[in-house]
Amino acid sequence: MVSVEDYGEFETEWCPGCGNFMILKAVKRALAELGKSPDEVLLTSGIGQSSKLPHYLKCNVFNGLHGRSLPPAIGAKVANHELTVLAVTGDGDCYGEGGNHFLHNVRRNPNITLIVHDNQIYGLTKGQASPTSELGMKTKVQTHGVFNTPLNPLSLAISLDCSFVSRGFAGDVAHLTELIKKAIQHKGFSLVDVLQPCISFNKLNTFSWYSERVYKMEEGDHSPDDRIKAFERSMEWGERIPLGVFYVNEKPTFEDHLDVLKSGTLVGNKSDPQKVDELLDRFI
């Protein structure tokens, strides 16, 4: 039986009180409650405070370049489609530097889970506005306030027919754990955007700011199979902010289109040096 303790306990470099601690706890709980042993799991990440999360779990890990949490996740998933793959990133890392990868992997629909620590600020580099920063937010760089329209990742994902779109809150670990479990169990590309207060550099969107506004859609009448309603819900922001599964659309994954995977994993195939030589001879 898998337990949270199997994923280890490590000293972190996060600020005391950071929302990342709760996301880490939720990820561990979700993996343990699904019975995923550490050797069955790969976490990939890019650059940022969020991307340090894989450092604090005992499992397979790949920490790459800024905005590049998704490419190694896809490569690993194709090489071994039996692996449970989670890409962990932040709003700047994913929706800024990695925006291109985000868009096109929504379209590809690989069977991986994307967890975005969305604190609406660049934390590692000391507080510049990110793609999701609020209009008017003042930072050390945007001293007169942010004037770029904030990116709405959920609306964007739904508009591209992402097969699983959800939002959690770092201040509600139990609810976030269940969301991550659903995302992992979903067959296809799963987005979990997590509202994660940054206590050091975002003095606007604090724990109390979110706590006064968030509510769970499961308590209402939302149906995740209604794309138009999901899009409308994703636009709701301000006095009330919905949490939960916004949209689900079951469809073939990227791996389903690759016939070579039907006979087993690529890593499980035995290599044949003679075929490699024959292939090289065709090009020399």
Side-chain angles (χ1 to χ4, degrees), residues 101-144:
H101 298 295
F102 174 65
L103 293 179
H104 295 293
N105 280 298
V106 168
R107 295 176 52 238
R108 291 188 185 102
N109 196 36
N111 186 19
I112 67 171
T113 297
L114 174 66
I115 300 175
V116 183
H117 301 214
D118 190 351
N119 59 10
Q120 301 177 259
I121 200 85
Y122 280 94
L124 183 66
T125 46
K126 312 306 181 191
Q128 302 91 342
S130 82
T132 58
S133 294
E134 300 269 355
L135 277 175
M137 174 192 279
K138 293 183 179 179
T139 74
K140 293 177 182 177
V141 176
Q142 289 77 26
T143 56
H144 297 288

Coordinates of all heavy atoms in Angstrom, one line a residue, residues 101-144:
H101 N 4.1 26.0 -25.9 CA 3.9 24.6 -25.6 C 2.6 24.3 -25.0 O 2.0 23.3 -25.2 CB 5.0 24.2 -24.6 CG 6.4 24.3 -25.2 ND1 6.9 23.6 -26.2 CD2 7.4 25.2 -24.9 CE1 8.1 23.9 -26.6 NE2 8.5 24.9 -25.7
F102 N 2.1 25.3 -24.2 CA 0.7 25.1 -23.6 C -0.3 25.0 -24.7 O -1.1 24.0 -24.7 CB 0.4 26.3 -22.6 CG -0.9 26.2 -22.1 CD1 -1.3 25.2 -21.2 CD2 -1.8 27.2 -22.4 CE1 -2.6 25.2 -20.7 CE2 -3.1 27.3 -21.9 CZ -3.5 26.2 -21.0
L103 N -0.3 25.9 -25.6 CA -1.3 25.9 -26.6 C -1.3 24.6 -27.5 O -2.4 24.0 -27.7 CB -1.1 27.1 -27.6 CG -1.2 28.5 -27.1 CD1 -0.9 29.5 -28.2 CD2 -2.7 28.7 -26.6
H104 N -0.2 24.2 -27.9 CA -0.1 23.1 -28.8 C -0.3 21.7 -28.1 O -0.7 20.8 -28.8 CB 1.1 23.2 -29.7 CG 1.1 24.4 -30.5 ND1 0.2 24.6 -31.6 CD2 1.8 25.6 -30.5 CE1 0.4 25.8 -32.1 NE2 1.3 26.4 -31.5
N105 N 0.0 21.7 -26.8 CA -0.3 20.4 -26.2 C -1.7 20.3 -25.8 O -2.2 19.2 -25.6 CB 0.7 20.2 -25.0 CG 2.0 19.8 -25.4 OD1 2.1 18.7 -26.0 ND2 3.0 20.6 -25.3
V106 N -2.4 21.4 -25.6 CA -3.9 21.3 -25.5 C -4.4 20.7 -26.8 O -5.3 19.8 -26.7 CB -4.5 22.7 -25.2 CG1 -6.0 22.7 -25.4 CG2 -4.1 23.2 -23.9
R107 N -3.9 21.1 -27.9 CA -4.4 20.6 -29.2 C -4.0 19.1 -29.4 O -4.8 18.3 -29.9 CB -3.8 21.4 -30.3 CG -4.2 22.8 -30.4 CD -3.5 23.6 -31.5 NE -3.6 22.9 -32.8 CZ -2.6 22.6 -33.5 NH1 -1.3 22.8 -33.1 NH2 -2.7 22.0 -34.6
R108 N -2.8 18.7 -28.9 CA -2.3 17.4 -29.1 C -3.1 16.4 -28.2 O -3.3 15.2 -28.5 CB -0.8 17.3 -28.8 CG 0.1 17.9 -29.8 CD 1.5 17.6 -29.5 NE 2.4 18.4 -30.4 CZ 3.0 19.5 -30.0 NH1 3.0 19.9 -28.8 NH2 3.8 20.1 -30.9
N109 N -3.4 16.8 -27.0 CA -4.1 16.0 -26.0 C -3.3 14.8 -25.6 O -3.8 13.7 -25.5 CB -5.5 15.5 -26.6 CG -6.4 15.0 -25.5 OD1 -6.4 15.5 -24.3 ND2 -7.2 14.0 -25.8
P110 N -2.0 15.0 -25.2 CA -1.3 13.8 -24.6 C -1.9 13.5 -23.2 O -2.5 14.4 -22.5 CB 0.1 14.4 -24.4 CG -0.1 15.9 -24.2 CD -1.3 16.2 -25.1
N111 N -1.7 12.3 -22.8 CA -2.3 11.8 -21.5 C -1.4 12.2 -20.3 O -0.7 11.4 -19.7 CB -2.6 10.3 -21.5 CG -3.3 9.9 -20.3 OD1 -3.9 10.7 -19.6 ND2 -3.2 8.6 -20.0
I112 N -1.3 13.5 -20.0 CA -0.5 14.0 -18.9 C -1.3 15.0 -18.1 O -2.3 15.6 -18.6 CB 0.8 14.6 -19.4 CG1 0.6 15.9 -20.2 CG2 1.7 13.6 -20.2 CD1 1.9 16.6 -20.5
T113 N -0.9 15.3 -16.9 CA -1.5 16.3 -16.1 C -0.6 17.5 -15.9 O 0.6 17.4 -15.6 CB -1.8 15.7 -14.7 OG1 -2.7 14.6 -14.8 CG2 -2.5 16.7 -13.8
L114 N -1.2 18.7 -16.2 CA -0.4 19.9 -16.0 C -1.0 20.7 -14.8 O -2.2 21.0 -14.7 CB -0.6 20.8 -17.3 CG 0.0 22.2 -17.2 CD1 1.5 22.1 -17.2 CD2 -0.5 23.0 -18.4
I115 N -0.1 20.9 -13.8 CA -0.5 21.6 -12.6 C 0.2 23.0 -12.6 O 1.5 23.0 -12.6 CB -0.1 20.8 -11.3 CG1 -0.8 19.5 -11.3 CG2 -0.4 21.7 -10.1 CD1 -0.4 18.6 -10.2
V116 N -0.5 24.1 -12.7 CA 0.0 25.4 -12.8 C -0.2 26.1 -11.4 O -1.3 26.4 -11.0 CB -0.6 26.2 -13.9 CG1 0.0 27.6 -14.0 CG2 -0.5 25.5 -15.2
H117 N 0.9 26.5 -10.8 CA 0.9 27.3 -9.6 C 0.6 28.7 -10.0 O 1.6 29.4 -10.4 CB 2.2 27.2 -8.8 CG 2.6 25.8 -8.4 ND1 3.2 25.6 -7.2 CD2 2.4 24.6 -9.0 CE1 3.5 24.3 -7.1 NE2 3.0 23.7 -8.2
D118 N -0.6 29.2 -9.9 CA -0.9 30.5 -10.5 C -1.0 31.6 -9.4 O -2.0 31.8 -8.8 CB -2.3 30.4 -11.2 CG -2.6 31.6 -12.0 OD1 -1.9 32.6 -11.9 OD2 -3.6 31.6 -12.8
N119 N 0.2 32.2 -9.1 CA 0.2 33.2 -8.0 C 0.1 34.7 -8.6 O 0.3 35.6 -7.9 CB 1.4 33.1 -7.1 CG 2.7 33.2 -7.9 OD1 2.7 33.5 -9.1 ND2 3.8 32.8 -7.3
Q120 N -0.1 34.8 -9.9 CA -0.2 36.0 -10.6 C 1.0 37.0 -10.5 O 0.8 38.2 -10.5 CB -1.5 36.7 -10.1 CG -2.8 35.9 -10.4 CD -4.0 36.5 -9.8 OE1 -4.5 36.1 -8.7 NE2 -4.6 37.5 -10.5
I121 N 2.2 36.4 -10.3 CA 3.4 37.2 -10.2 C 4.6 36.3 -10.5 O 4.5 35.1 -10.3 CB 3.5 37.8 -8.7 CG1 4.4 39.0 -8.7 CG2 3.9 36.7 -7.7 CD1 3.7 40.3 -9.0
Y122 N 5.7 36.9 -10.9 CA 7.0 36.1 -11.0 C 7.6 36.2 -9.6 O 8.1 37.3 -9.2 CB 7.9 36.8 -12.0 CG 7.6 36.4 -13.4 CD1 6.8 37.2 -14.2 CD2 8.1 35.2 -14.0 CE1 6.5 36.8 -15.6 CE2 7.9 34.8 -15.3 CZ 7.1 35.7 -16.1 OH 6.8 35.3 -17.4
G123 N 7.6 35.1 -8.9 CA 8.1 35.0 -7.5 C 9.6 34.9 -7.4 O 10.3 35.6 -6.7
L124 N 10.2 33.9 -8.3 CA 11.6 33.6 -8.2 C 12.5 34.9 -8.5 O 13.5 35.1 -7.9 CB 12.0 32.5 -9.1 CG 13.4 32.0 -9.1 CD1 13.8 31.4 -7.8 CD2 13.7 31.0 -10.2
T125 N 12.0 35.7 -9.5 CA 12.7 36.9 -9.9 C 12.3 38.1 -9.2 O 12.4 39.2 -9.7 CB 12.7 37.0 -11.4 OG1 11.3 36.8 -11.9 CG2 13.6 36.0 -12.1
K126 N 11.6 38.0 -8.1 CA 11.3 39.0 -7.1 C 10.2 40.0 -7.4 O 10.2 41.2 -7.1 CB 12.6 39.8 -6.8 CG 13.8 39.0 -6.5 CD 13.6 38.0 -5.4 CE 14.8 37.2 -5.0 NZ 14.5 36.1 -4.1
G127 N 9.2 39.5 -8.2 CA 7.9 40.3 -8.2 C 7.6 41.1 -9.4 O 6.9 42.1 -9.3
Q128 N 7.9 40.6 -10.6 CA 7.4 41.3 -11.8 C 6.0 40.8 -12.2 O 5.7 39.7 -11.8 CB 8.4 41.0 -13.0 CG 9.8 41.5 -12.8 CD 10.7 40.4 -12.3 OE1 10.2 39.4 -11.8 NE2 12.0 40.5 -12.4
A129 N 5.3 41.5 -12.9 CA 3.9 41.1 -13.4 C 4.1 39.9 -14.3 O 5.0 39.8 -15.1 CB 3.2 42.2 -14.1
S130 N 3.2 38.9 -14.1 CA 3.1 37.7 -15.0 C 1.9 37.9 -15.9 O 1.2 38.9 -15.8 CB 2.9 36.5 -14.1 OG 1.6 36.3 -13.7
P131 N 1.7 36.9 -16.8 CA 0.6 37.0 -17.7 C -0.8 37.1 -17.1 O -1.8 37.5 -17.7 CB 0.7 35.7 -18.6 CG 2.2 35.4 -18.6 CD 2.6 35.8 -17.2
T132 N -0.9 36.6 -15.8 CA -2.2 36.6 -15.2 C -2.3 37.7 -14.1 O -3.3 37.7 -13.4 CB -2.5 35.2 -14.5 OG1 -1.4 34.9 -13.6 CG2 -2.5 34.1 -15.5
S133 N -1.4 38.6 -14.0 CA -1.5 39.7 -13.0 C -2.7 40.6 -13.3 O -3.1 40.8 -14.4 CB -0.2 40.5 -13.1 OG 0.9 39.8 -12.6
E134 N -3.3 41.0 -12.2 CA -4.5 41.9 -12.3 C -4.2 43.2 -12.9 O -3.1 43.8 -12.7 CB -5.0 42.1 -10.9 CG -5.4 40.9 -10.1 CD -6.9 40.5 -10.3 OE1 -7.6 41.3 -11.0 OE2 -7.3 39.5 -9.8
L135 N -5.1 43.7 -13.7 CA -5.0 45.1 -14.2 C -4.8 46.1 -13.0 O -5.5 46.0 -12.0 CB -6.3 45.5 -15.0 CG -6.4 45.0 -16.4 CD1 -7.7 45.4 -17.0 CD2 -5.2 45.6 -17.3
G136 N -3.9 47.0 -13.2 CA -3.7 48.0 -12.2 C -2.7 47.6 -11.0 O -2.3 48.4 -10.2
M137 N -2.3 46.3 -11.0 CA -1.4 45.8 -9.9 C -0.1 46.5 -10.1 O 0.5 46.5 -11.1 CB -1.2 44.3 -10.0 CG -0.2 43.8 -9.0 SD 0.3 42.1 -9.3 CE -1.0 41.2 -8.5
K138 N 0.4 47.1 -9.0 CA 1.7 47.8 -9.0 C 2.8 46.8 -8.5 O 2.6 46.2 -7.5 CB 1.6 49.1 -8.1 CG 0.7 50.1 -8.7 CD 0.8 51.4 -7.9 CE -0.1 52.5 -8.5 NZ -0.1 53.7 -7.7
T139 N 3.9 46.8 -9.2 CA 5.0 46.0 -8.8 C 6.3 46.9 -8.9 O 6.2 48.0 -9.3 CB 5.2 44.8 -9.8 OG1 5.7 45.2 -11.0 CG2 3.9 44.1 -10.0
K140 N 7.4 46.3 -8.5 CA 8.7 47.0 -8.6 C 9.0 47.4 -10.0 O 9.7 48.4 -10.3 CB 9.8 46.2 -8.0 CG 9.7 45.9 -6.6 CD 10.8 45.0 -6.1 CE 10.6 44.7 -4.6 NZ 11.7 43.7 -4.1
V141 N 8.5 46.7 -11.0 CA 8.7 47.0 -12.4 C 7.6 47.8 -13.0 O 7.8 48.8 -13.7 CB 9.0 45.7 -13.3 CG1 9.1 46.0 -14.7 CG2 10.2 45.0 -12.7
Q142 N 6.4 47.3 -12.7 CA 5.2 48.0 -13.2 C 4.7 49.0 -12.2 O 3.7 48.9 -11.5 CB 4.0 47.0 -13.5 CG 4.3 46.1 -14.7 CD 5.3 45.0 -14.5 OE1 5.4 44.5 -13.3 NE2 5.9 44.5 -15.5
T143 N 5.5 50.0 -12.0 CA 5.3 51.0 -10.9 C 4.0 51.8 -11.1 O 3.5 52.4 -10.1 CB 6.5 51.9 -10.8 OG1 6.7 52.6 -12.0 CG2 7.8 51.1 -10.4
H144 N 3.5 52.0 -12.3 CA 2.3 52.7 -12.5 C 1.1 51.8 -12.7 O 0.0 52.2 -13.0 CB 2.5 53.6 -13.8 CG 3.5 54.6 -13.6 ND1 3.3 55.7 -12.8 CD2 4.8 54.7 -14.1 CE1 4.4 56.5 -12.9 NE2 5.3 55.9 -13.6

